[in-house]
Amino acid sequence: MTSLRTQRPRHAAITGIGVIAPNGMRADAYWKSIREGVGVLDRITREGCEHLPLRIAGEVRSFDAASLIEERFLVQTDRFSHFAMAATVLALDDAGLGHGDPAEPYNIGVVTAAGSGGGEFGQRELQKLWGQGSRYVGPYQSIAWFYAASTGQISIRGGFKGPCGVVASDEAGGLDSVAHAARGVRRGTGTVLAGSAEAPLAPYSMVCQLGYPEISTVDDPERAYRPFTEGACGFAPAEGGAMLVVEEADRARDRGAAIRATVAGHGATFTGASRWERSREGLAQAIRVALDEAGCAPQEIDVVFADALGVPEADRAEALAIADALGAHGTRVPVTAPKTGIGRAYCAAPVLDTAAAVLAMENGQVPPTPNVFDICHDLDLVMSSARPAELNTALVLSRGLMGSNAALVVRRGGDSAR
């Protein structure tokens, strides 16, 4: 006879949040900073970057990898994987799961997204190749730069042997990784670690980014990243990221874990590289699909965490997409983009936004959009200070420079998983 438990639908709950961000490490420090609208964009201090026209970014300045990660993993991996491994430990601790020798290793999976990969590690080894010869190139050059490295190292380090994967779908891949984890849980995996971390501020990586017309080269931290304004001039990049523990809701309750949020719906589309006018239709469709999967009416959305690219055509397309998908509610719902205070961390940006959405719902406050005061679009953008509000359902949006669009609906606590 089939048990009641197996007959019930499986819900994907977020029970742990780990953050390594320019404005703070750990979820509580990150939330305090974004709630207060603290801006940490500043001049890039990384060695070898002084002569480049990209001057302003969000750096993780106080990160000590050696204090968080064993030496044998440090030498094999790039800074972006260091961020991901550290964020995973924080997320597991937050969920009360520990981070080694799991009792059910085949029931824990890992899925990450990455765009920039291990540029710092790769640059160092290539310099050895051309400066000293092939015998001086370390064997880990073959894997450390690769965008899949974080998934592999998190899995190996933690002993996680469940379904693992890597999402390669542009910046929107951060949201796709969370959705991938949620679907894995609904299909039967007990727990999936999901998220993204990026480290794009090494010289080689920065030179590659200078090919993006959307990147900001403004030399003023307060003006470098101002989406939805007349002065929008592109985005300031950032490093860091976030990892989430996504697990089956009943399983979480059985072990006494707090369900911080549930992943309710997701949609994804593709409209082509830098075709920002077309992204209006693609993003609106992604929102509709996410709402449909969540069984959510447009007016149920209590807050929107915007993609906020900072390019006039892209900002206009996003504002119109929100209106297209949410109707009249799209001009009334609070919209925010806390990433303007820390920079846009590529694939990690929407995962940081998802963490912010969960924290906002828990605390009943919509965080502000730093450095933005004079918007030129029909949006209720939260500026200057946090806005108290009853928040039960959040919509997180993301678009990639190469054309991916994604939307994620998350609900407060365990309300939708009872």
Side-chain angles (χ1 to χ4, degrees):
M1 180 180 292
T2 303
S3 69
L4 177 63
R5 173 62 56 86
T6 58
Q7 290 177 345
R8 291 181 60 180
R10 294 170 61 89
H11 296 280
I14 296 173
T15 58
I17 299 173
V19 173
I20 303 290
N23 60 346
M25 287 179 279
R26 305 184 70 91
D28 53 354
Y30 172 66
W31 169 248
K32 183 178 186 294
S33 180
I34 62 171
R35 182 194 66 212
E36 296 175 357
V38 175
V40 297
L41 291 177
D42 206 343
R43 280 188 168 274
I44 297 168
T45 62
R46 305 295 297 281
E47 183 179 358
C49 300
E50 303 85 358
H51 64 291
L52 298 174
L54 175 56
R55 304 289 177 84
I56 303 299
E59 284 189 54
V60 180
R61 298 180 186 272
S62 57
F63 181 72
D64 180 10
S67 69
L68 298 166
I69 302 163
E70 303 88 333
E71 175 66 19
R72 68 187 182 96
F73 288 103
L74 286 180
V75 300
Q76 300 176 23
T77 50
D78 179 80
R79 185 173 172 88
F80 90 106
S81 292
H82 299 168
F83 289 149
M85 286 189 282
T88 297
V89 170
L90 294 175
L92 288 167
D93 286 346
D94 186 47
L97 285 172
H99 46 86
D101 298 321
E104 300 178 275
Y106 290 100
N107 206 26
I108 303 177
V110 182
V111 57
T112 66
S116 59
E120 183 178 84
F121 194 109
Q123 177 177 338
R124 183 175 67 242
E125 298 303 308
L126 288 173
Q127 286 175 326
K128 290 179 183 178
L129 173 64
W130 296 111
Q132 298 172 272
S134 59
R135 288 183 298 174
Y136 293 87
V137 177
Y140 298 117
Q141 164 65 359
S142 62
I143 58 171
W145 67 270
F146 194 40
Y147 63 86
S150 293
T151 287
Q153 296 292 4
I154 290 169
S155 175
I156 292 168
R157 184 174 182 238
F160 308 133
K161 301 179 180 181
C164 291
V166 181
V167 179
S169 57
D170 216 354
E171 285 97 318
L175 289 188
D176 296 343
S177 72
V178 179
H180 189 88
R183 288 171 187 143
V185 165
R186 292 176 192 133
R187 287 194 297 264
T189 302
T191 303
V192 181
L193 304 168
S196 175
E198 302 271 26
L201 302 183
Y204 172 75
S205 299
M206 287 174 59
V207 169
C208 294
Q209 291 169 76
L210 288 171
Y212 299 143
E214 295 88 357
I215 206 158
S216 173
T217 54
V218 170
D219 197 12
D220 178 351
E222 294 184 357
R223 295 179 53 250
Y225 187 18
R226 302 187 65 228
F228 304 116
T229 71
E230 295 284 359
C233 55
F235 69 93
E239 61 180 1
M243 293 294 295
L244 308 175
V245 175
V246 182
E247 64 180 305
E248 202 278 317
D250 285 335
R251 173 189 174 94
R253 291 195 189 94
D254 287 347
R255 66 179 186 84
I259 295 178
R260 306 190 70 165
T262 53
V263 181
H266 168 260
T269 62
F270 180 80
T271 46
S274 297
R275 296 179 177 179
W276 299 118
E277 288 188 6
R278 292 189 181 184
S279 75
R280 170 184 178 178
E281 180 182 356
L283 186 60
Q285 177 63 13
I287 295 170
R288 294 186 191 102
V289 172
L291 293 176
D292 184 63
E293 184 177 279
C296 178
Q299 60 269 24
E300 292 180 65
I301 297 297
D302 299 312
V303 61
V304 175
F305 282 76
D307 176 60
L309 188 63
V311 174
E313 306 94 302
D315 293 344
R316 180 176 184 273
E318 182 172 21
L320 292 172
I322 292 170
D324 291 345
L326 302 186
H329 186 61
T331 61
R332 298 190 298 263
V333 64
V335 176
T336 185
K339 61 169 72 76
T340 62
I342 64 173
R344 182 183 174 92
Y346 294 101
C347 287
V351 188
L352 285 165
D353 279 346
T354 302
V358 174
L359 294 162
M361 289 189 290
E362 288 180 343
N363 290 276
Q365 290 181 297
V366 180
T369 306
N371 301 321
V372 175
F373 309 102
D374 53 346
I375 68 168
C376 58
H377 298 280
D378 193 10
L379 293 172
D380 182 15
L381 192 72
V382 178
M383 300 175 283
S384 300
S385 61
R387 181 187 300 178
E390 182 178 345
L391 306 175
N392 295 304
T393 307
L395 175 66
V396 184
L397 305 179
S398 182
R399 291 171 299 178
L401 299 177
M402 297 298 105
S404 296
N405 313 288
L408 189 76
V409 175
V410 288
R411 294 191 188 274
R412 178 183 176 185
D415 293 346
S416 65
R418 295 189 187 281

